[in-house]
Amino acid sequence: MRQADGMIVAEAGKAWAAEQEVGSLAANGPASLLSPSSHPLCLPSSPPSAAVVGYAVYMGSLWAAQRLSPLSSGYRKLSAAERLEWDGRLPSTLHALVITGATVYLFLCSPTFAEDHVGDRPFVLRTSPLSDASLGFSLGYFATDLLLLVLYYPSFGGPEMGVHHLAALASVAAAALQGQAHAYTLALLATECTTPFVNVRYLLDKGGWKDHPIYTANGMALLLSWLVARILLFLKFFQHVAAHLHEFHLISPVSRWLIYLVPPTLFVLNLFWFTKILKGAIKLLCKPGRAQPEEAAPAAVATPDAAVELRKER
């Protein structure tokens, strides 16, 4: 046991030394942070710098949505609060696409989080320039969205959205700034892949396209993506956490408790929302000529995840 404990401490020391080396390289100047060869997204590898990019992308896409949305006749019929909600769909969709692409690459293409990865770092301490950039980008997104939620409350989201964003922000900030549990935080952020389908559903609903076949097709895509990303992959998540509990003493108490509490809570909510989406989908297929707003509506609000999830599925 003493020998095993010594090996773990040695591994943690090597991981710390590697992180210090990365930090010293980052300190050499902006060129090292913005190197396009560091990862596929060409985002700054420093989480604070990537957070600034996340903020800029959010505000830029919101500005674009506010100027392009009036081209839609459905948008012009909406109230001021509904227009704000409509415009917020573009930033959330862009964030979801970026994070989904990053997590797919990190888990399926990169060796960083591979089970057969050869290296000195324990799994809970593994990081990469892309994971740093992705978490920083999400940090900027959630911070900006939470700020707008407070400024435009309740038009931009209710109390459940605020609680979700606070949990998402805490989880992402802890992982990004401490360099710990990147894989687990990114796995929760990967559930953002359902956000585009939720957003498309909202736009089709408000735009008067509920009777179009594309509305039904999008609903089926939402149902399938929800089942895979928010139900089945969560089971794999819990299995992986259980297999690596022996490494959790290497991360901070804050990171540990966020992993212990946030994912189970999100899983219960995901199951509840999935039953609502499934019920609405069954009624929609059985009665294709009639809209079912009472049962379909939960699918639109079915994503105050966070984040640990975390999204705001707007």
Side-chain angles (χ1 to χ4, degrees), residues 281-294:
I282 293 175
K283 288 197 172 184
L284 185 63
L285 291 176
C286 293
K287 300 179 181 180
R290 298 178 59 187
Q292 300 291 333
E294 293 81 4

Side-chain angles (χ1 to χ4, degrees), residues 12-309:
K14 292 177 181 179
W16 179 85
E19 290 172 354
Q20 292 298 106
E21 181 180 358
V22 172
S24 64
L25 289 175
N28 288 333
S32 63
L33 296 177
L34 298 171
S35 173
S37 61
S38 59
H39 53 73
L41 292 183
C42 295
L43 289 173
S45 298
S46 165
S49 300
V52 173
V53 175
Y55 164 79
V57 170
Y58 189 111
M59 297 307 296
S61 57
L62 182 63
W63 178 88
Q66 291 171 339
R67 280 146 185 82
L68 295 176
S69 296
L71 298 177
S72 169
S73 59
Y75 178 87
R76 295 194 295 269
K77 299 176 183 177
L78 300 178
S79 65
E82 289 175 325
R83 290 184 180 185
L84 184 62
E85 174 74 4
W86 177 300
D87 294 333
R89 302 283 168 167
L90 181 57
S92 72
T93 299
L94 290 178
H95 170 258
L97 293 176
V98 170
I99 289 302
T100 300
T103 53
V104 167
Y105 177 83
L106 282 167
F107 287 112
L108 299 183
C109 302
S110 170
T112 303
F113 303 127
E115 289 293 343
D116 57 352
H117 174 74
V118 177
D120 296 327
R121 294 191 181 189
F123 185 83
V124 293
L125 296 180
R126 293 185 196 174
T127 65
S128 74
L130 179 56
S131 67
D132 281 330
S134 301
L135 291 172
F137 185 81
S138 283
L139 185 62
Y141 167 78
F142 281 115
T144 306
D145 205 52
L146 181 61
L147 176 61
L148 293 179
L149 188 152
V150 173
L151 292 177
Y152 296 102
Y153 184 86
S155 300
F156 216 67
E160 74 287 344
M161 190 67 68
V163 172
H164 161 267
H165 274 32
L166 286 173
L169 197 60
S171 299
V172 173
L177 301 180
Q178 296 182 21
Q180 301 173 352
H182 277 206
Y184 294 134
T185 307
L186 288 168
L188 294 178
L189 287 174
T191 61
E192 293 291 303
C193 67
T194 62
T195 297
F197 301 112
V198 175
N199 288 346
V200 169
R201 181 199 177 281
Y202 177 88
L203 298 178
L204 292 174
D205 183 10
K206 296 299 182 180
W209 289 66
K210 290 191 66 173
D211 295 329
H212 197 279
I214 194 174
Y215 183 87
T216 302
N218 180 75
M220 295 302 103
L222 172 61
L223 178 68
L224 179 61
S225 64
W226 196 282
L227 174 63
V228 173
R230 296 180 180 272
I231 306 298
L232 299 181
L233 289 184
F234 259 79
L235 299 179
K236 176 65 175 178
F237 177 94
F238 296 137
Q239 179 187 26
H240 197 281
V241 168
H244 290 79
L245 282 176
H246 63 282
E247 296 181 351
F248 274 39
H249 70 281
L250 299 173
I251 61 179
S252 70
V254 172
S255 296
R256 286 201 298 269
W257 282 106
L258 285 172
I259 296 175
Y260 293 154
L261 298 178
V262 173
T265 302
L266 291 178
F267 183 65
V268 172
L269 291 174
N270 287 339
L271 284 174
F272 171 74
W273 287 323
F274 181 72
T275 61
K276 296 290 186 179
I277 298 172
L278 180 60
K279 186 183 297 185
I282 293 175
K283 288 197 172 184
L284 185 63
L285 291 176
C286 293
K287 300 179 181 180
R290 298 178 59 187
Q292 300 291 333
E294 293 81 4
E295 297 297 339
V301 287
T303 51
D305 9 40
V308 293
E309 206 109 11

